[in-house]
Amino acid sequence: MSHPDKYRLRRTMMFLNCQKPSLIKDPYVYKPDSIMLDLEDAVAEREKDAARYSLYHALQEIDYRGVERVVRINGLDTDLWREDVRCAVAGGCDSIRIPKTETADDVRTVEYAIAEAEREFRRPVGSVLIMAALESARGVINAMSICDSSERLFGIALSGGDFSRDLQVPISGTGVEFMGARQHMIIAARAAKVQCFDTVWTNLDDMEGFRKEVETIHAMGFDGKSIVNPRQIPVVHEIYTPKQKDIVYAEKVVREIEDKRAKGIGVFTVDGKMIDIAFYDGAKRTIALAKASGVYKGDL
Amino acid sequence: MKISKLAVAGTLESSDCMVTIEPAKKGIDLELDSVVIRQYGRRIREVAMETLDRLEVKNARVTIVDKGALDCTIKARIECAAARASEFEGRVSWGGTIR
């Protein structure tokens, strides 16, 4: 049976440096769906040990009020990641993010270490979920097998900085350099029935550019976006929350399909648009997203 | 845990604390400077002594300069400083001595 939180709402994942107590003490006040407690790039090399102690005690003592606690471990090419996994699992994290994932074997290697840690620290085996960050051309090309690699894997995320370096192009701000990767990743994620998350937008002075990018990835089908500043959260949530007219229409579609199905009618119209069973799942998703976003008061 | 050299963990940024641990001959000598010493001084000392006791640090001079750190941060900084001061290199027993 699938983990109950595998498909939870993850519109925003806010990166927080575990080295900074001021950042990890109360991020829930900004109401992100998930926080990404970072042991990797944000932490100075000589402070890796300190970041782990901070992470462990924060996970143990701070009530994050339902916000998902994802821990980004160090890369599999370091001698740090195994201890990161032990620390995160012992602390009680919800999920682990694997950086620089290139193959399905990378995921399975971490999955094995997580299972060992779950047994060591007496957590139910299978309780910690995984997400994989794809940061290279090879990782993106292997997106399909990575998505299929583990029952624990709830999603994949594009990591734009490293990916653009691997492509040997600068980040333009237009998203042109990410077009192929984004399209490929969302198709792979949907084929494997896992979630897909977009990369960070780091220019905090350009909120208009940020909004455009979120609108684009929302239209492409991404489940959410990695974020680096609380100011970005309301923008993403606004764009990802179904509008009232879409909710009303989705309700009509669901009710009409169920009614017409009972009467043996396959194709009909709702508000002048042709509808058949193919629209059912989409309408149900809109209702589910509206419910999860707290804007649906109906009875579906 | 035997403290064999001077070590520091933490910073003087807001919500953090800087912990210095160094070898001492007999017992724990704890010095505390905090921006909230009137309100939380007793509690910070309590957390510090409990943490040192759990780590089985018997002899050390410990200096804490607190900038409004939560209990979890005080514990984390003391444990990190103690591990560095003891030249600890093994696997941390998370949930064991580090609890």
Side-chain angles (χ1 to χ4, degrees):
Chain A
M1 204 179 81
S2 184
H3 192 296
D5 286 334
K6 186 164 178 177
Y7 300 108
R8 64 179 282 167
L9 188 67
R10 296 184 176 94
R11 297 163 299 182
T12 43
M13 291 196 172
M14 183 158 70
F15 274 92
L16 301 166
N17 181 352
C18 280
Q19 198 182 328
K20 305 265 186 194
S22 60
L23 297 182
I24 64 175
K25 72 182 170 73
D26 56 3
Y28 50 82
V29 299
Y30 305 111
K31 297 187 167 55
D33 293 325
S34 310
I35 51 171
M36 191 84 63
L37 297 155
D38 191 14
L39 294 173
E40 199 212 11
D41 287 353
V43 179
E45 208 57 40
R46 61 179 195 155
E47 295 296 332
K48 296 286 189 186
D49 56 343
R52 275 197 209 117
Y53 286 106
S54 291
L55 171 73
Y56 175 79
H57 287 288
L59 286 172
Q60 285 277 296
E61 294 192 15
I62 297 174
D63 176 3
Y64 285 102
R65 303 181 193 188
V67 174
E68 182 184 35
R69 300 148 318 150
V70 184
V71 174
R72 179 162 78 164
I73 58 172
N74 283 282
L76 273 60
D77 55 344
T78 70
D79 59 0
L80 299 164
W81 73 270
R82 286 183 187 278
E83 194 57 28
D84 293 345
V85 168
R86 287 185 71 244
C87 171
V89 173
C93 74
D94 299 308
S95 311
I96 284 182
R97 175 176 167 128
I98 310 170
K100 302 184 179 73
T101 313
E102 296 215 315
T103 66
D105 276 346
D106 289 348
V107 178
R108 288 191 279 264
T109 300
V110 175
E111 180 180 35
Y112 187 79
I114 292 173
E116 270 191 333
E118 285 170 336
R119 282 188 285 271
E120 182 182 355
F121 299 108
R122 298 201 169 91
R123 294 187 60 182
V125 173
S127 57
V128 176
L129 291 169
I130 296 175
M131 69 178 293
L134 312 189
E135 310 189 17
S136 66
R138 181 173 297 276
V140 170
I141 289 292
N142 289 335
M144 187 70 244
S145 59
I146 290 169
C147 287
D148 276 334
S149 61
S150 164
E151 183 50 39
R152 290 180 192 250
L153 188 122
F154 70 75
I156 54 173
L158 176 63
S159 185
D162 285 299
F163 179 72
S164 65
R165 269 195 294 281
D166 203 35
L167 279 194
Q168 301 174 16
V169 292
I171 294 178
S172 65
T174 65
V176 66
E177 63 280 11
F178 299 139
M179 281 169 58
R182 280 176 170 152
Q183 200 70 74
H184 181 72
M185 285 173 63
I186 189 69
I187 292 169
R190 288 293 173 263
K193 296 193 167 32
V194 299
Q195 296 179 333
C196 195
F197 308 98
D198 193 44
T199 187
V200 293
W201 174 273
T202 54
N203 184 355
L204 297 176
D205 293 333
D206 183 7
M207 289 301 283
E208 198 46 46
F210 175 69
R211 174 175 282 275
K212 271 190 197 157
E213 181 159 278
V214 178
E215 284 168 348
T216 301
I217 59 126
H218 177 243
M220 290 179 79
F222 278 81
D223 294 277
K225 190 161 178 67
S226 304
I227 56 166
V228 291
N229 188 287
R231 282 166 53 206
Q232 298 175 326
I233 294 172
V235 177
V236 180
H237 286 189
E238 181 209 316
I239 291 166
Y240 270 80
T241 300
K243 307 293 174 281
Q244 203 52 39
K245 69 175 177 47
D246 299 325
I247 298 168
V248 169
Y249 182 68
E251 256 190 324
K252 277 187 195 172
V253 168
V254 170
R255 288 190 200 285
E256 284 293 312
I257 288 176
E258 287 173 354
D259 179 56
K260 295 290 190 297
R261 190 161 46 190
K263 293 174 181 164
I265 302 169
V267 182
F268 51 92
T269 59
V270 172
D271 293 351
K273 291 177 193 151
M274 197 189 83
I275 296 294
D276 60 21
I277 190 68
F279 290 82
Y280 189 73
D281 286 350
K284 290 284 273 187
R285 260 199 308 279
T286 300
I287 301 288
L289 188 54
K291 269 186 197 169
S293 308
V295 295
Y296 183 69
K297 308 286 181 231
D299 56 359
L300 279 179
Chain B
M1 190 176 273
K2 186 176 184 319
I3 303 301
S4 54
K5 63 173 185 179
L6 184 146
V8 181
T11 70
L12 297 177
E13 293 172 15
S14 174
S15 304
D16 202 349
C17 63
M18 184 177 274
V19 175
T20 307
I21 296 190
E22 52 197 306
K25 290 224 168 81
K26 198 173 176 198
I28 302 292
D29 175 10
L30 175 63
E31 189 181 322
L32 173 65
D33 173 14
S34 172
V35 292
V36 289
I37 200 152
R38 281 170 180 266
Q39 300 94 322
Y40 297 109
R42 188 185 296 178
R43 175 65 190 156
I44 296 168
R45 284 180 181 279
E46 215 172 74
V47 171
M49 293 307 286
E50 278 171 13
T51 307
L52 292 163
D53 185 50
R54 186 161 34 75
L55 295 172
E56 295 172 1
V57 174
K58 307 284 186 206
N59 304 305
R61 178 175 162 71
V62 181
T63 308
I64 302 175
V65 182
D66 170 55
K67 298 292 179 185
L70 296 178
D71 286 5
C72 60
T73 302
I74 296 165
K75 290 178 193 173
R77 296 313 193 195
I78 291 174
E79 285 168 7
C80 183
R84 288 173 176 179
S86 67
E87 299 180 71
F88 171 79
E89 282 182 356
R91 294 210 315 175
V92 178
S93 48
W94 306 105
T97 42
I98 308 296
R99 189 168 55 236

